[in-house]
Amino acid sequence: DENRAISLRMEPYGEDRNLLIGRDVTALYRLQGVRQDFVANVSHELRTPLTVLAGYLETLLDSEEDASSEMHRILTNMHQQSERMRRIVEDLLLLSRLETTHPDEEYFESIDMAGLLGIIAHDAQLLSGPEQHEIVLEVDPQLWLVGIIRELHSALSNLVFNAVKYTPGGGKVTIRWFANGKGQPVFEVQDTGIGIEPRHIPRLTERFYRIDVGRSRARGGTGLGLAIVKHVILRHDAQLDITSQPHLGSTFRVTFPALRAERHRMASGSGPN
Ligand code: ADP
């Protein structure tokens, strides 16, 4: 049966021989597929009712004149919760698409990273709001990247938004984009935030893994951001390194293969070349 999946493993057998052991993992693979389809289907089904719900709540909020009333408080809360559900569903959909499609099916294009990071930095400044973080961009405008722009936009903004979310107001977030000594393009985001204890670092990219659930929720987190980041990075043959010191801050670094780098003489937005 050509549709069976077999997992092979070598084991020492006697003094100088090895035994090749095959295990039929077809059922396991099928189960995984069923689980992924299920998550994708459920997310898809939930999307429309949630959008409708959030829309109605928005209308009610707009028509509720007295901003100090109990009704206004309840509506605001319901609206926030429905937005949170919407974000979770969107992230689950994105994650299941990342898990089930092969990157070869996606469109790789030349990306003006300085431009993309400028947009992300601007959005991060909005997210920072009245807390006002200092957001600094140190980018090489001539260094472009061949990648899947939609996915990179999600992943890199997740990392930058996290830096803002987990850094108290007044803190600093630095976004870097450069080529390292080996010619590999590197994206780095460094914050002066709460930091991460070393024991948590290996588990951060697991779905729904959060160090402080209360803080994550209060900041609008879904617990899926770094799981999405991990998949996008894998699909670009890149590597994620996390370094952090509790109470001092964290650095998330993504190193891409040198062959994904492109040199463009013209800086972004400087006209035809
Ligand atoms: P969330 O939606 O909770 O932010 P993520 O998957 O993006 O989910 O991140 C997982 C957890 O990793 C967060 O809940 C937080 O505890 C921790 N984390 C992520 N980025 C940072 C950071 N820059 N500083 C400190 N902790 C972070």
Side-chain angles (χ1 to χ4, degrees):
D1 181 354
E2 60 201 277
N3 288 321
R4 302 208 78 76
I6 309 292
S7 140
L8 295 174
R9 171 166 61 91
M10 282 284 224
E11 280 219 337
Y13 182 68
E15 280 290 286
D16 53 358
R17 274 188 295 177
N18 286 306
L19 201 59
L20 186 63
I21 298 173
R23 191 160 74 97
D24 188 332
V25 288
T26 314
L28 197 70
Y29 272 40
R30 283 200 186 129
L31 200 65
Q32 244 167 39
V34 168
R35 180 184 69 90
Q36 282 165 349
D37 287 351
F38 179 75
V39 171
N41 290 339
V42 169
S43 311
H44 196 80
E45 291 296 325
L46 286 174
R47 201 189 215 171
T48 310
L50 282 172
T51 307
V52 173
L53 194 65
Y56 277 135
L57 285 167
E58 228 156 271
T59 312
L60 279 177
L61 261 175
D62 285 346
S63 63
E64 182 61 27
E65 303 273 291
D66 186 2
S68 64
S69 74
E70 178 71 356
M71 180 69 106
H72 191 271
R73 198 185 59 78
I74 292 172
L75 284 176
T76 306
N77 211 307
M78 288 173 77
H79 184 244
Q80 278 168 358
Q81 296 300 330
S82 69
E83 281 301 322
R84 218 183 99 214
M85 279 196 271
R86 240 154 59 91
R87 275 200 302 276
I88 296 172
V89 164
E90 290 300 327
D91 278 358
L92 279 172
L93 266 176
L94 176 56
L95 201 53
S96 68
R97 210 181 49 230
L98 291 172
E99 279 181 338
T100 51
T101 67
H102 196 274
D104 284 355
E105 299 165 37
E106 304 289 339
Y107 177 58
F108 279 73
E109 62 187 301
S110 300
I111 303 169
D112 167 11
M113 289 293 283
L116 180 63
L117 294 175
I119 293 169
I120 292 175
H122 180 260
D123 291 343
Q125 196 70 67
L126 293 179
L127 175 73
S128 161
E131 292 194 340
Q132 287 306 332
H133 295 77
E134 183 190 352
I135 297 171
V136 181
L137 264 178
E138 291 173 8
V139 296
D140 175 350
Q142 296 187 355
L143 180 61
W144 287 38
L145 184 77
V146 178
I148 310 163
I149 189 161
R150 210 166 14 88
E151 296 183 5
L152 287 168
H153 190 167
S154 311
L156 303 183
S157 46
N158 264 313
L159 291 175
V160 174
F161 294 173
N162 274 351
V164 171
K165 272 157 53 183
Y166 300 106
T167 299
K172 186 171 168 182
V173 171
T174 310
I175 300 165
R176 299 193 183 90
W177 173 246
F178 58 94
N180 68 13
K182 296 181 191 160
Q184 296 164 316
V186 178
F187 164 87
E188 207 173 78
V189 58
Q190 180 180 10
D191 65 56
T192 58
I194 61 173
I196 304 158
E197 277 179 49
R199 66 192 166 93
H200 291 296
I201 291 181
R203 300 196 56 192
L204 285 186
T205 57
E206 290 173 18
R207 44 183 63 198
F208 297 118
Y209 188 84
R210 284 163 288 190
I211 297 165
D212 178 342
V213 176
R215 191 194 294 261
S216 159
R217 290 218 174 115
R219 306 269 152 168
T222 63
L224 294 169
L226 290 182
I228 290 172
V229 167
K230 185 186 81 178
H231 278 284
V232 171
I233 285 174
L234 273 175
R235 286 157 76 85
H236 287 80
D237 307 306
Q239 188 188 319
L240 176 67
D241 294 294
I242 306 171
T243 48
S244 183
Q245 269 186 292
H247 314 297
L248 289 179
S250 315
T251 301
F252 286 71
R253 177 188 301 134
V254 183
T255 307
F256 294 90
L259 56 85
R260 291 224 186 280
E262 267 180 9
R263 277 270 150 213
H264 285 242
R265 268 199 182 283
M266 288 288 182
S268 56
S270 57
N273 46 24

